[in-house]
Amino acid sequence: MKRFRYYREKTLPFHAAFLVVFSVLYVDLYIIRADRIEVKFLLIAVLCVIFPVWFIVESILLLSRKNRCLANGTEYEGTVVGKVGLTMYSGGYCYRLVVKYKNGRAVTPAVQAKYVDRLKSRKCKVYEFEDETYVTGFTLCQKHEGPAEIRVMDKSELAGKDRT
């Protein structure tokens, strides 16, 4: 069975590999062939290095928040009350889940639609540490089970309520 992980957690290895490849390309263009290359190609190489760095930093921040919340946080029972759709840069479709728990609401990072559409129940666990939250403990359906119904929410319903 596949593990339920956030999009940033799943794509970290891809972005790290992308960064390595384009860093090598940048070094090759800038240091070895600097006298024969046009500036516009250097700019493309710089952009190809900057974007993966940004995604990697986001992924590392999410994983560090996860580790802090799971190790030191207080666990609460949560219920998924809705989902908000997102189109990702890679052309995929993701959702952010809105979870209600004892201390309020939390909004998850992006989760691929194929996992959200296979949630067995709306129950989950919310870990809260200081002002950070991390939502986990989702269960996915097996082939013979039906998924839970989750209301589709509008992005305007999230305004001011994002705690993650």
Side-chain angles (χ1 to χ4, degrees), residues 94-145:
C94 291
Y95 289 106
R96 294 184 76 187
L97 298 174
V98 179
V99 177
K100 189 173 184 177
Y101 67 107
K102 181 180 178 182
N103 289 351
R105 281 172 58 156
V107 180
T108 68
V111 180
Q112 288 178 303
K114 65 182 179 180
Y115 298 114
V116 174
D117 294 337
R118 288 183 45 218
L119 286 178
K120 183 176 182 176
S121 78
R122 295 177 25 192
K123 299 292 182 196
C124 60
K125 295 189 184 304
V126 179
Y127 291 88
E128 186 177 60
F129 178 67
E130 295 177 353
D131 63 342
E132 299 178 324
T133 58
Y134 188 83
V135 183
T136 189
F138 299 101
T139 53
L140 298 176
C141 294
Q142 300 297 324
K143 290 185 181 185
H144 62 280
E145 298 172 323

